[in-house]
Amino acid sequence: MAAKPGFHIASAEEIKAGKVTDVYFQRTVEVLRREGIHKHVLAEVRATSLPAGYEWAVFAGVEEVATLVGGLNAKVDCLAEGEFFRAGEPVLTIEGEYTEFCVYETPLLGLLCQASGIATKAARCKAAAGDKTVISFGARRMHPALAPMIERNAFLGGCDGVAVVKSGELIGEEPSGTMPHALVLVVGNAERAFRMFDEITPPQVKRVALVDTLCDEKFEALTAARVLGDRLSAVRLDTPESRRGNMAQIIREVRWELDLRGYEHVGIFVSGGLDEAKIAELAPIADGFGVGTSISNAPVLNFALDIVEVEGQPFTKRGKPSGRKALLACAACGERRVAPAAKASGARCACGGEMSNLLLPLSEPGKVVRELPPVQELRARVLEQLRSGRWTI
Ligand code: PCP
């Protein structure tokens, strides 16, 4: 049978209907229902380990999880979206008659693993950049159906902007972008391309000239500065790998030549092959970064969902701590600890501070009970936690 043209993606309806599930969950429901086994269980989501070099991660994907579990006959508690956490800490619990939510384990984990992976990588890049601009440039590396999700979580994680039109619509932000090499190539000349871009592009769009297409960055940067003067906000260096010997030295040269001629106002924006390590190296001398692959293709977080209580009794598989837990955080010093939920109320920190459980209600059977803040507020929470100095890279 010939293949039917179409995008190989599941629709929102199919996801909500539980069709995006591993078949063994469907079979488990079949067995339990046929045997009349209807047990109330509590399951929890944790990441026993984080990607190499990560001390912490950012919890993301809650808005989509609320969409997924909103109508289920189950109760879900979880961290606030944008909350930082460490390996081994419970981030979400779901409870109810097991066959009511069994098939949703696959999409639930999928939503959390990828969104949290992207938000965490974005936060690491923003931590490395400090107050320098970081723009998400990576939609072209992933399936377009995912671009809004990828960029929403890149923004939540701390990126200052997103590049895709649809993503901007989703989060209520103007999409950011400079100019592609294609514009210079099709026009055939960098100077004419810069002039045309400036004459035609709406005035509120920052003028960022791409200066590595046809000749040396410093000479194209000076051309852009001469042509656009005060209207030039920055130059973008997307130097090809084969020419990217010492990027820091190239940036210093461009900076020197611009300043020598009075173009101190012109910023230097870098893109191509960047991650938190490269950004940390270049942040002292560059003004902004376009990050693609390393954020959009960020390592997912290895969340697992495990039953920890059956019919109210602690019961779980080998290798996991059983029973209902609380993730306690001290309001005074930020100290964290995982404790049996039964011992959580009135818990005090060694510093004497009051400790509260970070696992808060998201949904009750049939409805979402948490107010879901706009992503701008969640992003502000992430930046606040980065500034606290408690979460470093
Ligand atoms: C890429 C484009 C992307 C950048 C690099 C992301 O450059 O500008 O946004 O790169 P990364 O995935 O390595 O982080 P090109 O495709 O060379 O340039 P353009 O389309 O801008 O001409």
Side-chain angles (χ1 to χ4, degrees):
M1 194 168 69
K4 274 202 299 178
F7 293 121
H8 303 148
I9 55 173
S11 68
E13 295 67 36
E14 288 167 326
I15 297 170
K16 285 279 289 180
K19 287 216 50 193
V20 184
T21 190
D22 298 297
V23 68
Y24 71 173
F25 288 128
Q26 275 184 347
R27 294 181 182 139
T28 299
V29 169
E30 194 54 36
V31 170
L32 293 173
R33 289 195 170 149
R34 291 275 290 277
E35 292 298 330
I37 299 175
H38 300 288
K39 290 192 178 167
H40 184 98
V41 306
L42 171 78
E44 86 186 1
V45 171
R46 303 181 317 149
T48 40
S49 63
L50 296 174
Y54 287 28
E55 294 293 323
W56 48 265
V58 179
F59 188 57
V62 173
E63 208 174 284
E64 290 191 291
V65 165
T67 307
L68 181 74
V69 302
L72 290 189
N73 183 15
K75 175 178 171 18
V76 175
D77 294 350
C78 68
L79 300 184
E81 189 153 24
E83 188 75 51
F84 285 39
F85 66 94
R86 293 194 173 86
E89 294 179 343
V91 296
L92 180 142
T93 60
I94 179 165
E95 68 179 295
E97 196 277 305
Y98 182 58
T99 64
E100 290 288 339
F101 63 84
C102 168
V103 298
Y104 290 93
E105 177 168 343
T106 311
L108 176 67
L109 290 177
L111 292 172
L112 294 174
C113 291
Q114 189 171 19
S116 301
I118 292 164
T120 305
K121 182 59 100 166
R124 293 173 62 83
C125 289
K126 188 60 185 170
D131 57 4
K132 303 290 172 73
T133 301
V134 177
I135 307 289
S136 158
F137 267 11
R140 66 186 62 196
R141 311 289 183 220
M142 304 302 277
H143 192 292
L146 297 180
M149 179 280 292
I150 290 170
E151 296 215 302
R152 182 252 184 203
N153 291 300
F155 183 77
L156 179 150
C159 283
D160 301 277
V162 298
V164 169
V165 175
K166 176 62 190 170
S167 310
E169 282 170 18
L170 176 74
I171 65 174
E173 297 280 331
E174 273 304 310
S176 311
T178 64
M179 61 177 71
H181 296 96
L183 179 66
V184 176
L185 294 169
V186 175
V187 170
N189 166 288
E191 176 162 347
R192 280 184 45 234
F194 298 159
R195 282 187 196 288
M196 289 174 178
F197 184 89
D198 184 38
E199 277 148 22
I200 294 160
T201 307
Q204 71 275 17
V205 176
K206 281 196 179 139
R207 268 72 177 134
V208 180
L210 179 62
V211 295
D212 62 75
T213 309
L214 300 173
C215 71
D216 188 274
E217 289 81 350
K218 70 179 176 186
F219 298 117
E220 285 207 5
L222 293 176
T223 301
R226 176 172 49 73
V227 169
L228 276 73
D230 293 347
R231 292 190 307 289
L232 182 62
S233 161
V235 291
R236 172 161 82 104
L237 277 59
D238 190 67
T239 309
E241 208 51 45
S242 58
R243 306 293 198 283
R244 208 177 268 232
N246 178 334
M247 199 61 198
Q249 194 44 41
I250 296 173
I251 295 169
R252 285 194 198 91
E253 260 182 63
V254 172
R255 182 77 274 156
W256 172 269
E257 300 301 340
L258 286 169
D259 293 355
L260 190 63
R261 293 166 181 76
Y263 298 120
E264 288 84 354
H265 72 281
V266 177
I268 296 180
F269 190 88
V270 185
S271 62
L274 299 177
D275 62 9
E276 60 269 47
K278 293 216 178 91
I279 291 172
E281 183 205 335
L282 301 177
I285 49 176
D287 305 288
F289 303 97
V291 184
T293 313
S294 69
I295 288 179
S296 64
N297 185 32
V300 295
L301 298 192
N302 197 8
F303 287 127
L305 180 147
D306 291 296
I307 291 173
V308 292
E309 258 186 22
V310 175
E311 301 286 25
Q313 296 309 309
F315 188 50
T316 192
K317 68 179 185 182
R318 296 180 309 144
K320 305 274 174 180
S322 66
R324 185 187 301 271
K325 303 171 191 69
L327 177 54
L328 299 174
C330 172
C333 72
E335 190 52 34
R336 296 270 183 103
R337 75 169 179 261
V338 179
K343 298 191 180 140
S345 78
R348 290 237 156 239
C349 176
C351 78
E354 205 177 311
M355 299 196 89
S356 57
N357 186 4
L358 297 177
L359 293 167
L360 305 168
L362 175 69
S363 66
E364 302 286 346
K367 63 176 188 291
V368 172
V369 294
R370 185 186 297 182
E371 176 123 352
L372 299 170
V375 67
Q376 285 72 13
E377 225 177 275
L378 303 176
R379 178 175 176 272
R381 258 182 76 62
V382 167
L383 296 177
E384 192 191 309
Q385 289 170 96
L386 285 178
R387 279 194 298 274
S388 73
R390 272 205 300 272
W391 311 91
T392 55
I393 57 169

